[in-house]
Amino acid sequence: MSSNKNALIRYKTLDKCLKNKYRKYTLEDLIDECSEALFEFEGKESYVSKRTVQLDLQNMRSEKFGYEAPIEVYEKKYYRYSDPDYSIHNISVNESDLKAMNNAVQILKQFKDFSMFKEMNGVIQKLEDSIHATNQKSIIHLDKNEQLKGLEHIDILYESIANKKGLKILYKSFTARESNIFTVHPQLLKEFNNRWFLICLYKDKMYNLALDRMESIEIDDALPYVDKNLDGDDYFKDIVGVTVAEGMSPKNVVFWVDAGNAPYVKTKPLHKSQEIISEDHEGTVFKICVQLNFELERLLLGFGDSLIVHKPQRLRLKMEKKFNAGSKNYQNFIVPDKN
């Protein structure tokens, strides 16, 4: 049993004793009660030292854990709460605390559908019920797509990574005519732009597979698992999005953003490497150092005519080509007039 859980059991036991109006507890009695409580939970002899209980009482008295329990010693021998109605489970919560709890609940609720968090569902519901009883309105709303496909695969993928198990995944990409079986070594789960991806080793190369393109998944116990020991922060440090090209060096991407949109890019950098090269009344020139990938192109295209890529030349020409193709689409496609 962890030391934290042991401490919680002792605090709960001490609280029960200190609010008991019908029995007098000496320090030795409190030690025995705590030892007995731990025995019931652990199923083995567990003696609590005098120093441990004294330290527990000191912690309960202090602000350290927010208890500030009114513990007194009377007749120079016995311990109790000076306030007979006090309990560490009845700590008052102010309005600021309630707002903070409410915001935390809104964030926790985003994960309640994942089975690895299911044991938290009861706690989240209790918190939510308690907060709603005080008429605390949520002031945080997180984007969530209820129709998002692939979330049903998260559990088996999460467990396979945690337990280092190989997988056989029946997968059909958007460009493939037929589904194919990928025998992979799962390494990381990654969320980007409201889609989930599995980062995995396949035929000695790293791939990202979208969860919404997975048709079935099986554990492959016969496959000796290869652990690449990936660190997410390090693996994705040079990219925007999820697509990492092994061996590709990051490039300096220089782009201009007009004055109306530059504040948005300043306050929400496209990448952590972003810096300002120059600026005037018409706009700002930024620089980021990243790999060139599909997600970067989509992000830059999203700014439309308010952004111009200066370099590298390869990316600039690609953006120009896409804008020209888009312009032709608008010129050539006539929307039928249904009116």
Side-chain angles (χ1 to χ4, degrees), residues 53-166:
V53 173
Q54 287 177 323
L55 186 59
D56 288 342
L57 292 170
Q58 180 180 330
N59 287 337
M60 290 172 69
R61 282 190 178 109
S62 74
E63 299 178 358
K64 186 174 182 179
F65 300 119
Y67 294 143
E68 297 182 81
I71 301 172
E72 67 174 4
V73 181
Y74 64 103
E75 297 180 16
K76 298 181 180 181
K77 186 177 182 180
Y78 304 109
Y79 289 76
R80 69 182 178 191
Y81 289 140
S82 59
D83 179 357
D85 296 322
Y86 179 86
S87 170
I88 61 173
H89 302 296
N90 297 332
I91 300 174
S92 61
V93 180
N94 59 36
E95 185 176 352
S96 177
D97 294 331
L98 285 172
K99 287 180 179 178
M101 288 169 62
N102 189 39
N103 293 338
V105 166
Q106 299 309 311
I107 294 171
L108 287 170
K109 282 174 66 180
Q110 305 303 307
F111 300 97
K112 67 182 178 64
D113 295 330
F114 300 164
S115 69
M116 68 280 293
F117 294 103
K118 278 184 179 175
E119 60 187 46
M120 286 290 294
N121 284 356
V123 177
I124 295 172
Q125 188 60 55
K126 288 178 182 177
L127 282 171
E128 192 171 17
D129 290 345
S130 298
I131 294 166
H132 284 173
T134 62
N135 296 318
Q136 284 291 325
K137 184 178 68 173
S138 173
I139 57 174
I140 287 183
H141 181 268
L142 299 178
D143 189 26
K144 184 178 181 182
N145 186 349
E146 300 290 348
Q147 297 181 335
L148 191 64
K149 295 181 180 179
L151 292 183
E152 67 274 15
H153 301 312
I154 281 189
D155 292 343
I156 187 172
L157 296 175
Y158 179 92
E159 293 298 329
S160 65
I161 295 171
N163 298 319
K164 303 184 185 303
K165 296 284 188 179

